[in-house]
């Protein structure tokens, strides 16, 4: 149905040349892929170097940027039992410099170039990527090639130890200190047989990380990081002939590594139901069930994906009806995630304690729901909506060069064919009702599964069934890497110490904006973009939490949730079904200063989507049953958030700065007390105050002209209502710094530190903006003083930063990090030292140049996607800015003086004006913190 739209989305901005006259020596053109008519795909050329490196080039000249991705076909699945965590640890190590790139210089060079960068690791692959202005491509290829070919000479014991600590901090932050964080790794131990490469976590077991050494890291690099196990993909605004010459220069002389065989794919099986449980610092009992199916790209994968959607894919699913709608669960769902070697048919539910929270009862409902599907079968709409949504997601997912590059790299790595979009669409389009029932009977019906219960500490009586599985004792492999053949040392044919020059700065393509009004005077700001046949519209309603009495905190959020429920004409399920059949999304939300309505649609389906928007906006049903369920879900989620250290820290920080009488000091999501008091009548009254034409402003991006867009939005012309004034703010509390506040979080693996004060309201070109520039080298960039100290030098944290945040009326300054509990005091000392030194002496000339280059050149990346364009326009609209305010910011950035910025540092960064908040295990941290000489106060939340 959407083939033409998909084709336009993927082919419309391509700029492929038909032939290349001469290829560099050693480079082979493997294929040229282009599209026309109804064909679907991303045009590209695929090459191979003599050393086995696969190179994919996709030209897209719509924005002045390039995205570079190097994907290595190695993840945690290549590790050995007892030697886990190497792939992820190595991802960190690869940012620590190489023979010709100094320590911390990779991040610095990319950031200073105005780019962004990162790396990720999963079970099957590791990738490194950068998005930069188009004049920086050669430098990126130099950087990536140097760590591929010249990493080992720069590897030191000290770097290894720091990154091992950083990985431990990441594990503590993302797993040990997070509710349900350890569930996945425990579940996988039961799901996979011992020794299976997915039976251990990607981040590794702590004891495995402890037994690793530098030699292990060297061997892992030598085994897996050869060019013959990598794919280099470049997309964006570049000249293909020049790019290929650079690729051959920088990568061509790197020797191939050991041969890499495809991993063996064997279907995982279970012989009986396996039950396991764990107690955790959580509020909501959770049950997770799963059974093995196939592996990625298996012929049955699409039918299993569709089956999971029918069972638990949202408000139209069986799970939602039986578990969430009836109030037994706060959340529930079914999915079918696939990896290279295995897929899981995964089912979960977060039990509602108000209904008892017993997981044995929830398990029965889940199993009964599977039986209900068998009896109900598959209907035509089930198939159609899933297929339409898959096709629509394909279009929306290709609005950036990065996503297109990622798609090409992924498909090449795991199938040897970058051109898989069309065939993937066909795989899903061809699924029949009989296919879905066949895979249900083969993989799901009456099949053994793993059933895991996660319950609050001390409430073991809530588990689904007594444990019958105990994880086996880990076997430790004698070596970390097998089949090791060391690559020969490279003698480069040119001087790699010379940083490649960059071309002229790109000409920025700032969107051409238009402004208009609907017939009822609602302001509309928009821009036309023809890269995809899609429309993104956001209706902003000024007000939100700001127009409420703090005793009604949470009312804006709960009202927005009610707007996502039934209308007077249709149920929430029927409305969701109608949107899914169009491949559209319509959602309401609320925040501190506004409520909003987000609309995403294929252009051809915008008219039909807007009719649903009008129904939801103008005719909400506000049913008591919906309200009772939504309120209960919100209350349970608030209880859950009280188990999260980061939430506790944010809540306490706001209250300390602004007091509990100000909307800035009380969470917009509300508290258990405030939400408990909200009634349906409150929701109806707030709807009348908030959802009026007088409060509304609209931002629109799509492949429509101004007149066309305004015509499509004309259904909102009948909207009425005046603007709601903001109430007067309560007087702010007297603020005093120089004090440590502790929020006790017993057994916390990390401490959350926040240092800050009330600061400046937002401005685009004044003191607030200049303060942002001032803070950039202190805590605003990855290679800022604070992050390099606490993360890279000391290994105290996974990441530390500082920033100014400003709204229309108030703002604050904050320096923050989650640190290991045992170094809470030491980390706080370093924070204070860095802020004091920067306040006293300011930034250096080199830091000024770095900041100016980084921020001004990053503008090339700012307006690529529809939502980036929408963000620019909303800022103009919200703060009444000039259309060219972004250019004014660039001028200020390039002309601001060192003296002016350092003067701001002196006035804005006085540590004695700042409070210090620590959320952590009081029993472990208080005595040491008391040695710092600050008065300490214990906060109760």
């Amino acid at each position: 149905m959407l083939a033409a739209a998909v084709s336009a989305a993927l082919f419309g901005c391509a700029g492929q040349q038909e032939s290349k006259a001469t290829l560099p020596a050693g480079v082979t053109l493997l294929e040229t892929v282009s599209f026309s008519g109804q064909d679907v795909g991303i045009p590209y050329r695929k090459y191979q170097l003599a050393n086995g490196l696969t190179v994919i080039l996709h030209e897209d000249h719509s924005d002045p940027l390039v995205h570079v991705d190097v994907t290595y076909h190695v993840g945690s699945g290549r590790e050995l039992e007892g030697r886990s965590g190497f792939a992820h640890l190595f991802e960190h190590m690869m940012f620590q410099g190489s023979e010709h790139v100094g320590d911390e210089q990779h991040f610095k060079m990319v950031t200073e170039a105005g780019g962004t960068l990162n790396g990720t690791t999963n079970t099957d692959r590791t990738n490194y990527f950068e998005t930069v202005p188009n004049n920086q491509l050669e430098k990126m290829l130099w950087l990536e090639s140097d760590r591929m070919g010249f990493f080992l000479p720069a590897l030191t014991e000290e770097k290894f130890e720091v990154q091992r600590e950083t990985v431990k901090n990441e594990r503590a932050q993302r797993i040990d200190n997070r509710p349900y964080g350890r569930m996945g790794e425990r579940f996988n131990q039961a799901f996979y047989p011992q020794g299976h490469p997915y039976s251990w976590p990607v981040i590794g077991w702590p004891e495995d990380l402890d037994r690793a050494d530098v030699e292990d890291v060297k061997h892992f690099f030598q085994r897996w990081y050869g060019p013959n196990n990598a794919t280099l993909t470049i997309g964006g605004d570049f000249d293909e002939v020049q790019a290929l010459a650079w690729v051959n220069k920088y990568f061509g002389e790197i020797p191939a590594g050991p041969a890499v065989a495809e991993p063996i794919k064997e279907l995982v099986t279970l012989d009986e139901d396996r039950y396991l449980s764990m107690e955790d610092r959580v509020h909501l009992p959770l049950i997770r069930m799963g059974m093995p199916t196939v592996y990625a790209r298996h012929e049955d994968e699409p039918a299993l994906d569709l089956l999971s959607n029918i069972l638990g894919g949202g408000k139209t699913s069986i799970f939602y009806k039986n578990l969430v709608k009836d109030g037994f669960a706060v959340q529930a769902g079914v999915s079918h995630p696939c990896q290279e070697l295995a897929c899981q048919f995964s089912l979960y539910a977060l039990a509602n304690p108000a209904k008892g929270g017993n997981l044995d009862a929830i398990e029965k409902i889940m199993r009964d729901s599977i039986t209900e599907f068998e009896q109900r079968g598959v209907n035509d709409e089930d198939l159609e909506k899933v297929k339409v949504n898959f096709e629509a997601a394909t279009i929306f997912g290709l609005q950036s060069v990065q996503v297109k590059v990622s798609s090409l790299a992924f498909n090449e790595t795991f199938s040897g064919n970058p051109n898989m979009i069309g065939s993937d669409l066909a795989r899903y389009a061809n699924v029949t009702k009989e296919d879905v029932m066949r895979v249900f009977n083969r993989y799901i019906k009456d099949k053994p599964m793993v059933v895991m219960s996660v319950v609050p500490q001390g409430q073991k009586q809530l588990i689904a069934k007594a444990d019958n599985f105990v994880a086996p004792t880990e076997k430790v492999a004698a070596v970390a890497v097998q089949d090791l053949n060391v690559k020969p040392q490279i003698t480069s044919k040119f001087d790699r110490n010379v940083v490649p020059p960059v071309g002229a700065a790109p000409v920025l393509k700032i969107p051409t904006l238009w402004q208009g009004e609907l017939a009822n005077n609602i302001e509309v700001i928009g821009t036309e973009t023809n890269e995809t046949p899609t429309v993104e519209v956001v209706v902003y309603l000024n007000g939100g939490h700001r127009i409420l009495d703090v005793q009604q905190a949470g009312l804006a959020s709960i009202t927005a949730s009610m707007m996502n429920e039934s209308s007077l004409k249709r149920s929430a399920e029927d409305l969701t079904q109608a949107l899914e059949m169009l491949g559209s999304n319509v959602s309401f939300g609320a925040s501190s200063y506004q409520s909003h309505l987000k609309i995403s649609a294929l252009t051809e389906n915008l008219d039909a989507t807007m009719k649903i928007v009008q129904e939801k906006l103008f005719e909400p049903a506000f049913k008591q049953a919906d309200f009772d369920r939504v309120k209960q879900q919100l209350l349970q989620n608030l209880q859950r958030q009280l188990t999260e250290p980061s939430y506790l820290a944010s809540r306490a920080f706001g209250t300390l700065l602004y007091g509990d009488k100000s909307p800035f000091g009380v969470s917009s999501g509300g508290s258990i007390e405030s939400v408990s008091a909200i009634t349906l009548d409150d929701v109806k009254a707030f709807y009348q105050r908030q959802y009026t034409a007088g409060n509304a402003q609209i931002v629109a991006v799509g492949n429509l002209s101004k007149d066309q867009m305004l015509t499509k939005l004309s259904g909102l012309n009948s909207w009425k209502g005046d603007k709601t004034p903001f109430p007067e703010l309560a007087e702010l509390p007297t603020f005093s710094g120089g004090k440590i506040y502790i929020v006790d979080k017993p057994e916390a693996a990390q401490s959350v530190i926040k240092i800050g004060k009330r600061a400046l309201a937002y401005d685009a070109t004044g003191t607030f903006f200049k303060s942002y520039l001032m803070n950039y080298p202190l805590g605003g960039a990855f290679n800022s003083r604070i992050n390099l100290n606490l993360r890279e030098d000391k290994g105290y944290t996974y990441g530390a930063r500082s920033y100014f945040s400003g709204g229309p009326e108030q703002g604050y300054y904050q320096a923050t990090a989650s640190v290991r509990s045992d170094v809470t005091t030491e980390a706080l000392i370093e924070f204070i030292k860095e802020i004091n030194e920067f306040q006293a002496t300011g930034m250096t000339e080199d830091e000024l140049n770095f900041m100016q280059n980084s921020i001004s050149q990053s503008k090339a990346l700012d307006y690529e996607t529809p939502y980036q364009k929408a963000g620019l326009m909303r800022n103009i609209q919200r703060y009444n800015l000039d259309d060219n305010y972004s250019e004014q910011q660039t001028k200020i950035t390039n002309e601001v003086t060192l003296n002016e910025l350092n003067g701001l540092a002196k006035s804005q960064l006085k540590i004695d004006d700042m409070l210090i908040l620590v959320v952590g295990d009081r029993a472990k941290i208080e005595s040491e913190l008391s040695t710092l000489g600050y008065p300490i106060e214990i906060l109760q939340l």
Side-chain angles (χ1 to χ4, degrees), residues 191-192 196 198 266 268 293-296 337-344:
F191 192 88
Y192 297 104
H196 190 283
Y198 294 169
E266 295 180 351
V268 176
T293 56
V294 291
Y295 45 78
C338 280
Q339 298 157 278
E340 186 174 20
L341 304 181
C343 303
Q344 288 187 21

Short mmCIF file of all heavy atoms in Angstrom, two decimals, residues 191-192 196 198 266 268 293-296 337-344:
data_model
loop_
_atom_site.label_atom_id
_atom_site.label_comp_id
_atom_site.label_asym_id
_atom_site.label_seq_id
_atom_site.Cartn_x
_atom_site.Cartn_y
_atom_site.Cartn_z
N PHE A 191 17.50 -18.96 30.54
CA PHE A 191 16.94 -19.13 29.19
C PHE A 191 17.89 -19.90 28.28
O PHE A 191 17.46 -20.72 27.47
CB PHE A 191 16.67 -17.75 28.61
CG PHE A 191 15.84 -17.75 27.35
CD1 PHE A 191 14.46 -17.72 27.40
CD2 PHE A 191 16.45 -17.79 26.11
CE1 PHE A 191 13.70 -17.71 26.25
CE2 PHE A 191 15.70 -17.80 24.94
CZ PHE A 191 14.32 -17.76 25.01
N TYR A 192 19.20 -19.62 28.39
CA TYR A 192 20.18 -20.24 27.49
C TYR A 192 20.95 -21.34 28.22
O TYR A 192 21.19 -21.25 29.43
CB TYR A 192 21.15 -19.19 26.97
CG TYR A 192 20.49 -18.12 26.13
CD1 TYR A 192 20.26 -16.85 26.65
CD2 TYR A 192 20.09 -18.39 24.83
CE1 TYR A 192 19.64 -15.87 25.88
CE2 TYR A 192 19.47 -17.42 24.06
CZ TYR A 192 19.25 -16.16 24.58
OH TYR A 192 18.63 -15.20 23.82
N HIS A 196 26.37 -20.97 26.41
CA HIS A 196 25.84 -20.27 25.23
C HIS A 196 26.31 -18.81 25.29
O HIS A 196 26.30 -18.19 26.35
CB HIS A 196 24.32 -20.34 25.22
CG HIS A 196 23.71 -19.85 23.93
ND1 HIS A 196 23.60 -18.51 23.61
CD2 HIS A 196 23.18 -20.53 22.88
CE1 HIS A 196 23.02 -18.38 22.42
NE2 HIS A 196 22.75 -19.60 21.96
N TYR A 198 25.00 -16.09 24.69
CA TYR A 198 24.05 -15.10 25.19
C TYR A 198 23.70 -15.32 26.67
O TYR A 198 22.85 -14.62 27.22
CB TYR A 198 22.75 -15.14 24.38
CG TYR A 198 22.88 -14.71 22.93
CD1 TYR A 198 21.84 -14.92 22.04
CD2 TYR A 198 24.04 -14.09 22.45
CE1 TYR A 198 21.94 -14.53 20.70
CE2 TYR A 198 24.15 -13.71 21.12
CZ TYR A 198 23.09 -13.94 20.26
OH TYR A 198 23.19 -13.55 18.94
N GLU A 266 22.22 -22.47 16.18
CA GLU A 266 21.47 -23.65 16.61
C GLU A 266 20.28 -23.18 17.44
O GLU A 266 20.45 -22.37 18.35
CB GLU A 266 22.36 -24.58 17.44
CG GLU A 266 23.53 -25.17 16.65
CD GLU A 266 24.39 -26.10 17.50
OE1 GLU A 266 24.15 -26.10 18.74
OE2 GLU A 266 25.26 -26.78 16.96
N VAL A 268 17.70 -22.68 20.19
CA VAL A 268 17.69 -22.92 21.63
C VAL A 268 16.42 -23.67 22.00
O VAL A 268 15.34 -23.39 21.46
CB VAL A 268 17.78 -21.57 22.39
CG1 VAL A 268 17.67 -21.79 23.90
CG2 VAL A 268 19.07 -20.84 22.04
N THR A 293 12.57 -19.18 20.21
CA THR A 293 11.93 -19.40 18.90
C THR A 293 12.99 -19.69 17.85
O THR A 293 13.50 -20.81 17.78
CB THR A 293 11.08 -18.18 18.51
OG1 THR A 293 11.89 -17.00 18.50
CG2 THR A 293 9.92 -17.99 19.48
N VAL A 294 13.38 -18.69 17.08
CA VAL A 294 14.28 -18.92 15.94
C VAL A 294 15.53 -18.06 16.11
O VAL A 294 16.07 -17.95 17.19
CB VAL A 294 13.54 -18.62 14.62
CG1 VAL A 294 12.47 -19.67 14.38
CG2 VAL A 294 12.92 -17.23 14.61
N TYR A 295 16.00 -17.45 15.05
CA TYR A 295 17.11 -16.51 15.09
C TYR A 295 16.86 -15.46 14.02
O TYR A 295 15.99 -15.63 13.15
CB TYR A 295 18.46 -17.20 14.89
CG TYR A 295 18.49 -18.20 13.77
CD1 TYR A 295 18.58 -17.81 12.44
CD2 TYR A 295 18.40 -19.57 14.04
CE1 TYR A 295 18.58 -18.73 11.41
CE2 TYR A 295 18.40 -20.50 13.03
CZ TYR A 295 18.50 -20.08 11.71
OH TYR A 295 18.49 -21.00 10.69
N ALA A 296 17.57 -14.36 14.08
CA ALA A 296 17.34 -13.26 13.15
C ALA A 296 17.47 -13.72 11.71
O ALA A 296 18.35 -14.51 11.36
CB ALA A 296 18.33 -12.13 13.43
N PRO A 337 12.15 -9.92 20.35
CA PRO A 337 13.47 -9.42 19.97
C PRO A 337 14.33 -10.54 19.41
O PRO A 337 14.35 -11.66 19.94
CB PRO A 337 14.04 -8.88 21.28
CG PRO A 337 13.33 -9.64 22.35
CD PRO A 337 11.95 -9.89 21.82
N CYS A 338 15.05 -10.23 18.33
CA CYS A 338 15.90 -11.22 17.67
C CYS A 338 17.34 -10.76 17.63
O CYS A 338 17.63 -9.58 17.41
CB CYS A 338 15.40 -11.47 16.24
SG CYS A 338 14.00 -12.59 16.15
N GLN A 339 18.22 -11.71 17.84
CA GLN A 339 19.65 -11.50 17.70
C GLN A 339 20.19 -12.48 16.68
O GLN A 339 19.46 -13.34 16.18
CB GLN A 339 20.33 -11.67 19.07
CG GLN A 339 19.85 -10.67 20.11
CD GLN A 339 20.05 -11.15 21.52
OE1 GLN A 339 19.25 -11.91 22.04
NE2 GLN A 339 21.13 -10.71 22.16
N GLU A 340 21.46 -12.36 16.39
CA GLU A 340 22.04 -13.17 15.32
C GLU A 340 21.85 -14.66 15.55
O GLU A 340 21.59 -15.41 14.62
CB GLU A 340 23.53 -12.84 15.19
CG GLU A 340 24.20 -13.53 14.02
CD GLU A 340 25.64 -13.09 13.84
OE1 GLU A 340 26.23 -12.55 14.80
OE2 GLU A 340 26.17 -13.27 12.73
N LEU A 341 21.96 -15.10 16.81
CA LEU A 341 21.92 -16.52 17.10
C LEU A 341 20.61 -17.00 17.71
O LEU A 341 20.38 -18.22 17.77
CB LEU A 341 23.06 -16.89 18.06
CG LEU A 341 24.47 -16.52 17.62
CD1 LEU A 341 25.49 -16.97 18.66
CD2 LEU A 341 24.80 -17.12 16.26
N ALA A 342 19.79 -16.10 18.20
CA ALA A 342 18.57 -16.56 18.88
C ALA A 342 17.57 -15.42 19.03
O ALA A 342 17.94 -14.25 19.12
CB ALA A 342 18.91 -17.12 20.26
N CYS A 343 16.29 -15.80 19.09
CA CYS A 343 15.20 -14.86 19.37
C CYS A 343 14.49 -15.32 20.64
O CYS A 343 14.49 -16.51 20.97
CB CYS A 343 14.19 -14.82 18.23
SG CYS A 343 14.87 -14.39 16.61
N GLN A 344 13.86 -14.37 21.33
CA GLN A 344 13.05 -14.68 22.50
C GLN A 344 11.62 -14.19 22.25
O GLN A 344 11.43 -13.05 21.85
CB GLN A 344 13.57 -13.98 23.76
CG GLN A 344 14.85 -14.51 24.33
CD GLN A 344 15.19 -13.86 25.67
OE1 GLN A 344 14.31 -13.33 26.35
NE2 GLN A 344 16.45 -13.92 26.05
#
